């Protein structure tokens, strides 16, 4: 089945700095890669996603890059703000084998942005 | 539009007791998923309903877990009897379309088994 590894587990930055979270996946058939943000006490919410036929996607201060050959994808947050503090989860959607039709998540990254 | 709701938000039970978690998906969403996050680890897939049918229950840990979705609307997840290792946050998610598309998550139920 699919295995998603996410790093780092914790990330602390100063307001205004950039933050990068990286994920690797094992199943080359995976074709959809969402990123969820979970603020303290709230539900996970999709912030950006990318499909396997695209290498990069950007939405204001956040961007995601995908390297299918290396099987890794990354979340980039620029000009971080205290409200970006949250747990971020990457995930991969399986398109074949035992991972078919499932989202497999990484372990999560606790991002803290210091004012 | 109301989001996915879950009840209760917290539950503390003793080992051996029974607990039932409820999820109400977004209206019109045929696809309903249950996930669990244990002790700061990854969010793990448990099962997937399409309407009232179980599409995939490969993530269910064992036969102490029973999920139902009668009528294709809300779903329940029953744990009987609960064990210490069942503690965690149980998330429900729903989507309108099956496949690689956004899943909308509920706030989760934090289950503590003592």
């Amino acid at each position: 089945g699919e295995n998603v590894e996410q790093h780092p587990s914790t990330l602390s930055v100063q307001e205004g700095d950039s933050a990068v979270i990286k994920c690797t996946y094992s199943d080359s058939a995976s074709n959809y890669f969402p990123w969820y943000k979970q603020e303290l006490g709230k539900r996970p919410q999709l912030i950006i996603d990318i499909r396997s036929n695209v290498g990069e996607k950007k939405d204001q201060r956040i961007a995601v890059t995908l390297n299918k050959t290396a099987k890794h994808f990354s979340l980039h947050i620029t000009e971080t703000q205290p409200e970006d503090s949250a747990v971020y989860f990457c995930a991969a959607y399986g398109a074949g084998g035992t991972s078919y039709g499932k989202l497999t998540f990484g372990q999560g990254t606790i991002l803290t942005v210091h004012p | 539009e109301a989001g996915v709701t879950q009840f209760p938000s917290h539950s503390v039970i003793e080992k051996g007791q029974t607990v039932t978690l409820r999820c109400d998906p977004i209206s019109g969403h045929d696809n309903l998923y249950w996930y669990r996050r244990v002790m700061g680890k990854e969010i793990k897939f448990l099962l997937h309903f399409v309407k009232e049918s179980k599409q995939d229950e490969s993530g269910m840990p064992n036969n102490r877990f029973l999920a139902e979705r009668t009528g294709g609307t809300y779903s329940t997840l029953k744990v009987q009897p609960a064990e210490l290792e069942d503690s965690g946050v149980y998330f429900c998610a729903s989507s309108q379309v099956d496949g690689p598309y956004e899943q909308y998550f509920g706030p989760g139920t934090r289950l503590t088994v003592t």
Side-chain angles (χ1 to χ4, degrees):
Chain A
E2 176 67 277
N3 182 51
V4 176
E5 296 287 334
Q6 181 172 347
H7 298 281
S9 56
T10 61
L11 180 59
S12 183
V13 300
Q14 289 296 127
E15 182 176 1
D17 288 350
S18 294
V20 180
I21 303 171
K22 299 182 179 181
C23 290
T24 60
Y25 61 100
S26 60
D27 187 352
S28 57
S30 292
N31 62 1
Y32 172 67
F33 306 91
W35 285 88
Y36 283 84
K37 173 185 180 182
Q38 186 181 18
E39 296 177 67
L40 192 62
K42 296 189 177 181
R43 68 191 66 210
Q45 289 196 297
L46 181 77
I47 54 170
I48 196 166
D49 55 14
I50 192 167
R51 300 188 182 277
S52 56
N53 59 347
V54 176
E56 184 173 358
K57 184 176 178 181
K58 189 173 181 181
D59 183 2
Q60 299 183 344
R61 295 187 298 108
I62 60 172
V64 57
T65 57
L66 172 65
N67 183 326
K68 283 174 53 181
T69 303
K71 290 189 282 189
H72 68 71
F73 57 113
S74 300
L75 177 71
H76 305 254
I77 306 174
T78 58
E79 299 171 28
T80 54
Q81 301 167 3
E83 51 265 38
D84 294 328
S85 297
V87 182
Y88 290 80
F89 295 96
C90 64
Y93 185 87
T98 57
S99 306
Y100 181 81
K102 297 188 190 62
L103 272 179
T104 302
F105 284 85
Q107 297 89 337
T109 296
I110 302 172
L111 173 64
T112 304
V113 180
H114 299 281
Chain B
E1 174 182 88
V4 177
T5 59
Q6 292 185 246
F7 183 83
S9 57
H10 294 85
S11 180
V12 181
I13 61 172
E14 292 183 352
K15 176 182 171 180
Q17 290 186 322
T18 297
V19 63
T20 300
L21 313 181
R22 172 170 170 148
C23 168
D24 287 76
I26 293 172
S27 178
H29 282 195
D30 287 340
N31 296 275
L32 187 150
Y33 310 83
W34 282 99
Y35 294 90
R36 179 174 71 174
R37 188 179 190 215
V38 174
M39 282 293 290
K41 294 189 177 179
E42 73 273 23
I43 299 172
K44 290 193 80 170
F45 169 86
L46 296 179
L47 89 159
H48 170 204
F49 282 101
V50 178
K51 297 185 179 179
E52 67 274 10
S53 298
K54 291 177 185 174
Q55 177 85 355
D56 182 349
E57 54 182 331
S58 61
M60 295 287 264
N62 51 61
N63 59 10
R64 294 185 294 102
F65 289 75
L66 175 64
E68 295 181 322
R69 193 183 181 196
T70 307
T73 53
Y74 71 91
S75 174
T76 58
L77 181 64
K78 181 190 287 188
V79 185
Q80 179 183 30
E83 298 288 345
L84 298 178
E85 63 264 27
D86 301 333
S87 296
V89 180
Y90 290 77
F91 290 104
C92 174
S94 72
S95 67
Q96 194 167 30
V97 180
D98 188 10
Y101 302 99
E102 179 175 2
Q103 294 181 16
Y104 296 83
F105 277 74
T109 293
R110 181 173 295 277
L111 174 64
T112 302
V113 183
T114 62

